[in-house]
Amino acid sequence: MLNIRSLCSRLKKLLSGDVCGLNAKEGTIVAGLFMLMVSIMQLIFEAGHFRYLKAHFRSTDNDYSNLFAFCIGTITFTCLTIIAVILLFLFIWKELFWGVAGYITWIFLYEISKICFLSILMPGNSGLPSSVKALEWFGLTMRLLSHIFWMLFVTAYAIELYKISRNTDDSSKNKRKTPPKLKFAKVKELGV
């Protein structure tokens, strides 16, 4: 039986980034590896689209300009995402808050651009089989659902880095108060 108290404790554990035996930093690394794997798969998929379009473009007189724009745009954004993942690993290593926060921003921009590409540049009469369009939308949906899970880790790690950077930037918190130096007299001065 699930009660409110156990639900709240599970949500706190989830939001703290300690899920599946991973802390926030480890989860961020795995999130980067996940996005790297997905990006490589997306590049392979879009290269297949590109080969398909080149073969069919020569044999027919149909206008494939939207599909070419879709393929080029998707390949460009995917290559930029691979660069963003590599930079994420660098920012994790250097423990830079702004880099991890920038990665979160990039993922949101990437997914919004993918939704726009799919809805605008891939119309119903594009020339691709309907199974490919369905696969594109399915891939987008699954990636969005996966990002919800992985962004918990990345956001928790960004918050940790922000707290660390805020504490190190505040010089008044860093100064340790040392006790006053005590002066001890030498034996000769005491007259013993």
Side-chain angles (χ1 to χ4, degrees), residues 63-105:
D63 183 27
Y64 288 111
S65 60
N66 279 349
L67 282 177
F68 277 119
F70 172 77
C71 286
I72 297 298
T74 303
I75 289 171
T76 302
F77 270 96
T78 305
C79 288
L80 290 173
T81 302
I82 290 173
I83 293 170
V85 169
I86 293 169
L87 288 174
L88 173 69
F89 293 143
L90 178 69
F91 296 138
I92 291 170
W93 181 51
K94 294 285 188 176
E95 294 183 348
L96 296 174
F97 160 72
W98 291 108
V100 178
Y103 176 76
I104 295 170
T105 306

mmCIF file of all heavy atoms in Angstrom, residues 63-105:
data_model
loop_
_atom_site.group_PDB
_atom_site.id
_atom_site.type_symbol
_atom_site.label_atom_id
_atom_site.label_comp_id
_atom_site.label_asym_id
_atom_site.label_seq_id
_atom_site.Cartn_x
_atom_site.Cartn_y
_atom_site.Cartn_z
ATOM 1 N N ASP A 63 9.450 16.688 -56.396
ATOM 2 C CA ASP A 63 10.202 17.700 -55.666
ATOM 3 C C ASP A 63 10.504 17.181 -54.264
ATOM 4 O O ASP A 63 9.609 17.008 -53.451
ATOM 5 C CB ASP A 63 9.404 18.997 -55.589
ATOM 6 C CG ASP A 63 10.178 20.096 -54.911
ATOM 7 O OD1 ASP A 63 11.423 20.064 -54.962
ATOM 8 O OD2 ASP A 63 9.537 20.974 -54.322
ATOM 9 N N TYR A 64 11.771 16.918 -54.019
ATOM 10 C CA TYR A 64 12.194 16.407 -52.726
ATOM 11 C C TYR A 64 12.942 17.465 -51.917
ATOM 12 O O TYR A 64 13.722 17.143 -51.043
ATOM 13 C CB TYR A 64 13.104 15.187 -52.905
ATOM 14 C CG TYR A 64 12.375 13.951 -53.357
ATOM 15 C CD1 TYR A 64 12.567 13.440 -54.629
ATOM 16 C CD2 TYR A 64 11.504 13.296 -52.500
ATOM 17 C CE1 TYR A 64 11.910 12.301 -55.040
ATOM 18 C CE2 TYR A 64 10.843 12.154 -52.896
ATOM 19 C CZ TYR A 64 11.046 11.665 -54.169
ATOM 20 O OH TYR A 64 10.380 10.539 -54.563
ATOM 21 N N SER A 65 12.704 18.739 -52.213
ATOM 22 C CA SER A 65 13.473 19.792 -51.533
ATOM 23 C C SER A 65 13.179 19.821 -50.037
ATOM 24 O O SER A 65 14.091 20.061 -49.238
ATOM 25 C CB SER A 65 13.186 21.146 -52.158
ATOM 26 O OG SER A 65 11.805 21.454 -52.049
ATOM 27 N N ASN A 66 11.924 19.591 -49.631
ATOM 28 C CA ASN A 66 11.618 19.568 -48.197
ATOM 29 C C ASN A 66 12.337 18.420 -47.497
ATOM 30 O O ASN A 66 12.828 18.577 -46.382
ATOM 31 C CB ASN A 66 10.113 19.445 -47.958
ATOM 32 C CG ASN A 66 9.413 20.777 -48.090
ATOM 33 O OD1 ASN A 66 10.044 21.812 -48.156
ATOM 34 N ND2 ASN A 66 8.100 20.733 -48.147
ATOM 35 N N LEU A 67 12.374 17.274 -48.158
ATOM 36 C CA LEU A 67 13.045 16.132 -47.540
ATOM 37 C C LEU A 67 14.557 16.328 -47.473
ATOM 38 O O LEU A 67 15.187 15.912 -46.502
ATOM 39 C CB LEU A 67 12.714 14.845 -48.289
ATOM 40 C CG LEU A 67 11.336 14.288 -47.972
ATOM 41 C CD1 LEU A 67 11.055 13.068 -48.809
ATOM 42 C CD2 LEU A 67 11.235 13.945 -46.514
ATOM 43 N N PHE A 68 15.118 16.949 -48.511
ATOM 44 C CA PHE A 68 16.550 17.251 -48.446
ATOM 45 C C PHE A 68 16.831 18.230 -47.302
ATOM 46 O O PHE A 68 17.794 18.063 -46.554
ATOM 47 C CB PHE A 68 17.062 17.822 -49.769
ATOM 48 C CG PHE A 68 17.400 16.786 -50.785
ATOM 49 C CD1 PHE A 68 16.741 16.754 -52.002
ATOM 50 C CD2 PHE A 68 18.377 15.831 -50.541
ATOM 51 C CE1 PHE A 68 17.048 15.787 -52.938
ATOM 52 C CE2 PHE A 68 18.691 14.871 -51.475
ATOM 53 C CZ PHE A 68 18.023 14.848 -52.682
ATOM 54 N N ALA A 69 15.980 19.247 -47.158
ATOM 55 C CA ALA A 69 16.148 20.200 -46.057
ATOM 56 C C ALA A 69 15.991 19.496 -44.710
ATOM 57 O O ALA A 69 16.726 19.784 -43.760
ATOM 58 C CB ALA A 69 15.137 21.335 -46.181
ATOM 59 N N PHE A 70 15.042 18.555 -44.637
ATOM 60 C CA PHE A 70 14.847 17.795 -43.408
ATOM 61 C C PHE A 70 16.092 16.978 -43.072
ATOM 62 O O PHE A 70 16.567 16.997 -41.936
ATOM 63 C CB PHE A 70 13.627 16.876 -43.543
ATOM 64 C CG PHE A 70 13.453 15.930 -42.401
ATOM 65 C CD1 PHE A 70 12.934 16.373 -41.201
ATOM 66 C CD2 PHE A 70 13.807 14.603 -42.520
ATOM 67 C CE1 PHE A 70 12.775 15.506 -40.129
ATOM 68 C CE2 PHE A 70 13.662 13.727 -41.462
ATOM 69 C CZ PHE A 70 13.139 14.187 -40.260
ATOM 70 N N CYS A 71 16.619 16.259 -44.073
ATOM 71 C CA CYS A 71 17.803 15.427 -43.831
ATOM 72 C C CYS A 71 19.013 16.266 -43.450
ATOM 73 O O CYS A 71 19.718 15.944 -42.481
ATOM 74 C CB CYS A 71 18.119 14.582 -45.059
ATOM 75 S SG CYS A 71 16.985 13.222 -45.300
ATOM 76 N N ILE A 72 19.261 17.335 -44.180
ATOM 77 C CA ILE A 72 20.412 18.187 -43.902
ATOM 78 C C ILE A 72 20.272 18.845 -42.526
ATOM 79 O O ILE A 72 21.224 18.882 -41.741
ATOM 80 C CB ILE A 72 20.594 19.248 -45.011
ATOM 81 C CG1 ILE A 72 20.889 18.583 -46.352
ATOM 82 C CG2 ILE A 72 21.680 20.254 -44.638
ATOM 83 C CD1 ILE A 72 22.170 17.786 -46.384
ATOM 84 N N GLY A 73 19.080 19.358 -42.217
ATOM 85 C CA GLY A 73 18.854 19.990 -40.923
ATOM 86 C C GLY A 73 19.012 19.009 -39.774
ATOM 87 O O GLY A 73 19.628 19.318 -38.749
ATOM 88 N N THR A 74 18.468 17.807 -39.937
ATOM 89 C CA THR A 74 18.572 16.808 -38.880
ATOM 90 C C THR A 74 20.015 16.353 -38.697
ATOM 91 O O THR A 74 20.479 16.201 -37.558
ATOM 92 C CB THR A 74 17.668 15.608 -39.200
ATOM 93 O OG1 THR A 74 16.332 16.077 -39.359
ATOM 94 C CG2 THR A 74 17.703 14.593 -38.106
ATOM 95 N N ILE A 75 20.724 16.143 -39.781
ATOM 96 C CA ILE A 75 22.132 15.736 -39.677
ATOM 97 C C ILE A 75 22.957 16.840 -39.009
ATOM 98 O O ILE A 75 23.806 16.561 -38.156
ATOM 99 C CB ILE A 75 22.688 15.361 -41.068
ATOM 100 C CG1 ILE A 75 22.073 14.031 -41.532
ATOM 101 C CG2 ILE A 75 24.205 15.287 -41.050
ATOM 102 C CD1 ILE A 75 22.373 13.669 -42.966
ATOM 103 N N THR A 76 22.687 18.094 -39.359
ATOM 104 C CA THR A 76 23.407 19.211 -38.755
ATOM 105 C C THR A 76 23.151 19.286 -37.251
ATOM 106 O O THR A 76 24.094 19.384 -36.450
ATOM 107 C CB THR A 76 23.000 20.538 -39.418
ATOM 108 O OG1 THR A 76 23.261 20.451 -40.818
ATOM 109 C CG2 THR A 76 23.750 21.712 -38.821
ATOM 110 N N PHE A 77 21.875 19.228 -36.860
ATOM 111 C CA PHE A 77 21.558 19.294 -35.432
ATOM 112 C C PHE A 77 22.093 18.086 -34.675
ATOM 113 O O PHE A 77 22.503 18.199 -33.514
ATOM 114 C CB PHE A 77 20.046 19.427 -35.224
ATOM 115 C CG PHE A 77 19.587 20.854 -35.171
ATOM 116 C CD1 PHE A 77 19.102 21.481 -36.298
ATOM 117 C CD2 PHE A 77 19.657 21.562 -33.991
ATOM 118 C CE1 PHE A 77 18.684 22.785 -36.261
ATOM 119 C CE2 PHE A 77 19.245 22.883 -33.935
ATOM 120 C CZ PHE A 77 18.758 23.499 -35.071
ATOM 121 N N THR A 78 22.111 16.932 -35.310
ATOM 122 C CA THR A 78 22.640 15.745 -34.644
ATOM 123 C C THR A 78 24.146 15.854 -34.455
ATOM 124 O O THR A 78 24.669 15.474 -33.392
ATOM 125 C CB THR A 78 22.262 14.487 -35.451
ATOM 126 O OG1 THR A 78 20.845 14.453 -35.628
ATOM 127 C CG2 THR A 78 22.696 13.240 -34.733
ATOM 128 N N CYS A 79 24.842 16.375 -35.446
ATOM 129 C CA CYS A 79 26.295 16.576 -35.293
ATOM 130 C C CYS A 79 26.584 17.605 -34.194
ATOM 131 O O CYS A 79 27.516 17.420 -33.396
ATOM 132 C CB CYS A 79 26.904 17.028 -36.611
ATOM 133 S SG CYS A 79 26.970 15.736 -37.856
ATOM 134 N N LEU A 80 25.778 18.664 -34.121
ATOM 135 C CA LEU A 80 25.948 19.640 -33.051
ATOM 136 C C LEU A 80 25.650 19.024 -31.684
ATOM 137 O O LEU A 80 26.285 19.374 -30.685
ATOM 138 C CB LEU A 80 25.044 20.850 -33.298
ATOM 139 C CG LEU A 80 25.437 21.749 -34.468
ATOM 140 C CD1 LEU A 80 24.378 22.812 -34.702
ATOM 141 C CD2 LEU A 80 26.798 22.373 -34.245
ATOM 142 N N THR A 81 24.716 18.081 -31.646
ATOM 143 C CA THR A 81 24.410 17.402 -30.387
ATOM 144 C C THR A 81 25.567 16.511 -29.950
ATOM 145 O O THR A 81 25.874 16.427 -28.749
ATOM 146 C CB THR A 81 23.114 16.577 -30.531
ATOM 147 O OG1 THR A 81 22.068 17.460 -30.917
ATOM 148 C CG2 THR A 81 22.748 15.890 -29.236
ATOM 149 N N ILE A 82 26.227 15.867 -30.890
ATOM 150 C CA ILE A 82 27.406 15.069 -30.544
ATOM 151 C C ILE A 82 28.494 15.963 -29.959
ATOM 152 O O ILE A 82 29.136 15.614 -28.957
ATOM 153 C CB ILE A 82 27.909 14.278 -31.774
ATOM 154 C CG1 ILE A 82 26.903 13.172 -32.124
ATOM 155 C CG2 ILE A 82 29.291 13.691 -31.524
ATOM 156 C CD1 ILE A 82 27.203 12.436 -33.403
ATOM 157 N N ILE A 83 28.676 17.142 -30.534
ATOM 158 C CA ILE A 83 29.642 18.101 -29.988
ATOM 159 C C ILE A 83 29.207 18.543 -28.589
ATOM 160 O O ILE A 83 30.030 18.644 -27.673
ATOM 161 C CB ILE A 83 29.800 19.304 -30.939
ATOM 162 C CG1 ILE A 83 30.453 18.847 -32.250
ATOM 163 C CG2 ILE A 83 30.600 20.421 -30.289
ATOM 164 C CD1 ILE A 83 30.438 19.875 -33.353
ATOM 165 N N ALA A 84 27.891 18.764 -28.397
ATOM 166 C CA ALA A 84 27.382 19.170 -27.084
ATOM 167 C C ALA A 84 27.618 18.073 -26.041
ATOM 168 O O ALA A 84 27.934 18.370 -24.887
ATOM 169 C CB ALA A 84 25.901 19.509 -27.171
ATOM 170 N N VAL A 85 27.473 16.818 -26.433
ATOM 171 C CA VAL A 85 27.711 15.715 -25.496
ATOM 172 C C VAL A 85 29.190 15.648 -25.118
ATOM 173 O O VAL A 85 29.534 15.451 -23.944
ATOM 174 C CB VAL A 85 27.224 14.378 -26.101
ATOM 175 C CG1 VAL A 85 27.689 13.204 -25.277
ATOM 176 C CG2 VAL A 85 25.715 14.368 -26.222
ATOM 177 N N ILE A 86 30.057 15.814 -26.093
ATOM 178 C CA ILE A 86 31.497 15.807 -25.794
ATOM 179 C C ILE A 86 31.848 16.965 -24.860
ATOM 180 O O ILE A 86 32.616 16.804 -23.906
ATOM 181 C CB ILE A 86 32.316 15.855 -27.105
ATOM 182 C CG1 ILE A 86 32.117 14.543 -27.873
ATOM 183 C CG2 ILE A 86 33.790 16.110 -26.830
ATOM 184 C CD1 ILE A 86 32.648 14.553 -29.276
ATOM 185 N N LEU A 87 31.242 18.132 -25.108
ATOM 186 C CA LEU A 87 31.460 19.261 -24.205
ATOM 187 C C LEU A 87 30.879 18.993 -22.821
ATOM 188 O O LEU A 87 31.438 19.416 -21.816
ATOM 189 C CB LEU A 87 30.859 20.537 -24.795
ATOM 190 C CG LEU A 87 31.598 21.123 -25.993
ATOM 191 C CD1 LEU A 87 30.830 22.295 -26.564
ATOM 192 C CD2 LEU A 87 33.006 21.523 -25.603
ATOM 193 N N LEU A 88 29.739 18.272 -22.768
ATOM 194 C CA LEU A 88 29.169 17.906 -21.471
ATOM 195 C C LEU A 88 30.166 17.078 -20.667
ATOM 196 O O LEU A 88 30.355 17.313 -19.466
ATOM 197 C CB LEU A 88 27.861 17.126 -21.646
ATOM 198 C CG LEU A 88 27.267 16.540 -20.362
ATOM 199 C CD1 LEU A 88 26.752 17.652 -19.458
ATOM 200 C CD2 LEU A 88 26.186 15.542 -20.682
ATOM 201 N N PHE A 89 30.809 16.112 -21.314
ATOM 202 C CA PHE A 89 31.801 15.306 -20.608
ATOM 203 C C PHE A 89 32.955 16.173 -20.102
ATOM 204 O O PHE A 89 33.454 15.970 -18.995
ATOM 205 C CB PHE A 89 32.329 14.180 -21.500
ATOM 206 C CG PHE A 89 31.301 13.143 -21.821
ATOM 207 C CD1 PHE A 89 31.268 12.551 -23.069
ATOM 208 C CD2 PHE A 89 30.352 12.736 -20.892
ATOM 209 C CE1 PHE A 89 30.333 11.579 -23.379
ATOM 210 C CE2 PHE A 89 29.416 11.770 -21.184
ATOM 211 C CZ PHE A 89 29.397 11.193 -22.422
ATOM 212 N N LEU A 90 33.367 17.152 -20.892
ATOM 213 C CA LEU A 90 34.413 18.079 -20.463
ATOM 214 C C LEU A 90 33.946 18.906 -19.266
ATOM 215 O O LEU A 90 34.693 19.089 -18.302
ATOM 216 C CB LEU A 90 34.819 18.992 -21.621
ATOM 217 C CG LEU A 90 35.859 20.051 -21.310
ATOM 218 C CD1 LEU A 90 37.211 19.408 -21.045
ATOM 219 C CD2 LEU A 90 35.952 21.049 -22.432
ATOM 220 N N PHE A 91 32.693 19.384 -19.323
ATOM 221 C CA PHE A 91 32.170 20.195 -18.225
ATOM 222 C C PHE A 91 31.978 19.374 -16.952
ATOM 223 O O PHE A 91 32.119 19.896 -15.851
ATOM 224 C CB PHE A 91 30.862 20.865 -18.621
ATOM 225 C CG PHE A 91 31.015 21.852 -19.743
ATOM 226 C CD1 PHE A 91 30.091 21.909 -20.766
ATOM 227 C CD2 PHE A 91 32.083 22.723 -19.791
ATOM 228 C CE1 PHE A 91 30.219 22.813 -21.794
ATOM 229 C CE2 PHE A 91 32.233 23.633 -20.824
ATOM 230 C CZ PHE A 91 31.298 23.681 -21.823
ATOM 231 N N ILE A 92 31.646 18.097 -17.098
ATOM 232 C CA ILE A 92 31.547 17.225 -15.921
ATOM 233 C C ILE A 92 32.931 17.059 -15.300
ATOM 234 O O ILE A 92 33.093 17.110 -14.085
ATOM 235 C CB ILE A 92 30.937 15.863 -16.304
ATOM 236 C CG1 ILE A 92 29.472 16.018 -16.674
ATOM 237 C CG2 ILE A 92 31.084 14.864 -15.168
ATOM 238 C CD1 ILE A 92 28.864 14.767 -17.281
ATOM 239 N N TRP A 93 33.930 16.856 -16.143
ATOM 240 C CA TRP A 93 35.292 16.669 -15.656
ATOM 241 C C TRP A 93 35.803 17.930 -14.959
ATOM 242 O O TRP A 93 36.418 17.874 -13.901
ATOM 243 C CB TRP A 93 36.189 16.267 -16.819
ATOM 244 C CG TRP A 93 37.610 16.031 -16.446
ATOM 245 C CD1 TRP A 93 38.079 15.230 -15.445
ATOM 246 C CD2 TRP A 93 38.751 16.604 -17.072
ATOM 247 N NE1 TRP A 93 39.449 15.254 -15.413
ATOM 248 C CE2 TRP A 93 39.885 16.103 -16.420
ATOM 249 C CE3 TRP A 93 38.918 17.469 -18.128
ATOM 250 C CZ2 TRP A 93 41.169 16.452 -16.779
ATOM 251 C CZ3 TRP A 93 40.200 17.816 -18.500
ATOM 252 C CH2 TRP A 93 41.302 17.309 -17.820
ATOM 253 N N LYS A 94 35.516 19.093 -15.561
ATOM 254 C CA LYS A 94 35.968 20.364 -14.990
ATOM 255 C C LYS A 94 35.014 20.895 -13.920
ATOM 256 O O LYS A 94 35.323 21.887 -13.273
ATOM 257 C CB LYS A 94 36.093 21.428 -16.101
ATOM 258 C CG LYS A 94 37.161 21.141 -17.110
ATOM 259 C CD LYS A 94 38.497 21.427 -16.527
ATOM 260 C CE LYS A 94 39.551 21.315 -17.604
ATOM 261 N NZ LYS A 94 40.859 21.669 -17.127
ATOM 262 N N GLU A 95 33.865 20.253 -13.751
ATOM 263 C CA GLU A 95 32.835 20.637 -12.784
ATOM 264 C C GLU A 95 32.400 22.090 -12.971
ATOM 265 O O GLU A 95 32.419 22.901 -12.056
ATOM 266 C CB GLU A 95 33.301 20.385 -11.353
ATOM 267 C CG GLU A 95 33.487 18.928 -11.049
ATOM 268 C CD GLU A 95 33.880 18.653 -9.610
ATOM 269 O OE1 GLU A 95 34.242 19.607 -8.881
ATOM 270 O OE2 GLU A 95 33.804 17.486 -9.223
ATOM 271 N N LEU A 96 31.966 22.407 -14.193
ATOM 272 C CA LEU A 96 31.497 23.749 -14.534
ATOM 273 C C LEU A 96 29.970 23.756 -14.602
ATOM 274 O O LEU A 96 29.369 23.030 -15.394
ATOM 275 C CB LEU A 96 32.077 24.211 -15.865
ATOM 276 C CG LEU A 96 33.591 24.370 -15.911
ATOM 277 C CD1 LEU A 96 34.049 24.680 -17.319
ATOM 278 C CD2 LEU A 96 34.025 25.468 -14.961
ATOM 279 N N PHE A 97 29.357 24.598 -13.793
ATOM 280 C CA PHE A 97 27.903 24.676 -13.743
ATOM 281 C C PHE A 97 27.324 25.135 -15.069
ATOM 282 O O PHE A 97 26.355 24.562 -15.567
ATOM 283 C CB PHE A 97 27.470 25.620 -12.608
ATOM 284 C CG PHE A 97 26.074 26.133 -12.772
ATOM 285 C CD1 PHE A 97 24.996 25.286 -12.579
ATOM 286 C CD2 PHE A 97 25.835 27.444 -13.132
ATOM 287 C CE1 PHE A 97 23.700 25.745 -12.744
ATOM 288 C CE2 PHE A 97 24.552 27.909 -13.297
ATOM 289 C CZ PHE A 97 23.477 27.059 -13.102
ATOM 290 N N TRP A 98 27.889 26.187 -15.647
ATOM 291 C CA TRP A 98 27.303 26.768 -16.854
ATOM 292 C C TRP A 98 27.349 25.802 -18.028
ATOM 293 O O TRP A 98 26.499 25.840 -18.910
ATOM 294 C CB TRP A 98 27.998 28.087 -17.203
ATOM 295 C CG TRP A 98 27.673 29.124 -16.186
ATOM 296 C CD1 TRP A 98 28.514 29.631 -15.241
ATOM 297 C CD2 TRP A 98 26.409 29.733 -15.959
ATOM 298 N NE1 TRP A 98 27.844 30.529 -14.448
ATOM 299 C CE2 TRP A 98 26.547 30.614 -14.870
ATOM 300 C CE3 TRP A 98 25.175 29.631 -16.575
ATOM 301 C CZ2 TRP A 98 25.495 31.379 -14.390
ATOM 302 C CZ3 TRP A 98 24.127 30.401 -16.091
ATOM 303 C CH2 TRP A 98 24.292 31.255 -15.019
ATOM 304 N N GLY A 99 28.319 24.928 -18.062
ATOM 305 C CA GLY A 99 28.378 23.940 -19.127
ATOM 306 C C GLY A 99 27.270 22.918 -19.032
ATOM 307 O O GLY A 99 26.631 22.579 -20.033
ATOM 308 N N VAL A 100 27.004 22.437 -17.828
ATOM 309 C CA VAL A 100 25.932 21.459 -17.642
ATOM 310 C C VAL A 100 24.576 22.114 -17.879
ATOM 311 O O VAL A 100 23.688 21.530 -18.510
ATOM 312 C CB VAL A 100 26.022 20.817 -16.236
ATOM 313 C CG1 VAL A 100 24.887 19.848 -16.003
ATOM 314 C CG2 VAL A 100 27.356 20.105 -16.066
ATOM 315 N N ALA A 101 24.408 23.351 -17.400
ATOM 316 C CA ALA A 101 23.158 24.074 -17.655
ATOM 317 C C ALA A 101 22.991 24.365 -19.148
ATOM 318 O O ALA A 101 21.879 24.319 -19.679
ATOM 319 C CB ALA A 101 23.132 25.370 -16.849
ATOM 320 N N GLY A 102 24.076 24.638 -19.830
ATOM 321 C CA GLY A 102 24.015 24.846 -21.278
ATOM 322 C C GLY A 102 23.607 23.581 -22.018
ATOM 323 O O GLY A 102 22.895 23.633 -23.025
ATOM 324 N N TYR A 103 24.056 22.428 -21.523
ATOM 325 C CA TYR A 103 23.647 21.160 -22.127
ATOM 326 C C TYR A 103 22.144 20.949 -21.977
ATOM 327 O O TYR A 103 21.483 20.497 -22.916
ATOM 328 C CB TYR A 103 24.413 19.997 -21.491
ATOM 329 C CG TYR A 103 23.977 18.649 -21.991
ATOM 330 C CD1 TYR A 103 24.374 18.187 -23.245
ATOM 331 C CD2 TYR A 103 23.143 17.838 -21.239
ATOM 332 C CE1 TYR A 103 23.970 16.955 -23.716
ATOM 333 C CE2 TYR A 103 22.728 16.600 -21.692
ATOM 334 C CZ TYR A 103 23.140 16.167 -22.936
ATOM 335 O OH TYR A 103 22.718 14.952 -23.399
ATOM 336 N N ILE A 104 21.607 21.275 -20.814
ATOM 337 C CA ILE A 104 20.163 21.153 -20.607
ATOM 338 C C ILE A 104 19.415 22.038 -21.601
ATOM 339 O O ILE A 104 18.444 21.611 -22.233
ATOM 340 C CB ILE A 104 19.790 21.519 -19.153
ATOM 341 C CG1 ILE A 104 20.396 20.513 -18.179
ATOM 342 C CG2 ILE A 104 18.280 21.591 -18.969
ATOM 343 C CD1 ILE A 104 20.286 20.916 -16.723
ATOM 344 N N THR A 105 19.890 23.258 -21.768
ATOM 345 C CA THR A 105 19.276 24.181 -22.726
ATOM 346 C C THR A 105 19.377 23.637 -24.146
ATOM 347 O O THR A 105 18.414 23.709 -24.918
ATOM 348 C CB THR A 105 19.963 25.560 -22.642
ATOM 349 O OG1 THR A 105 19.918 26.007 -21.293
ATOM 350 C CG2 THR A 105 19.285 26.567 -23.548
#
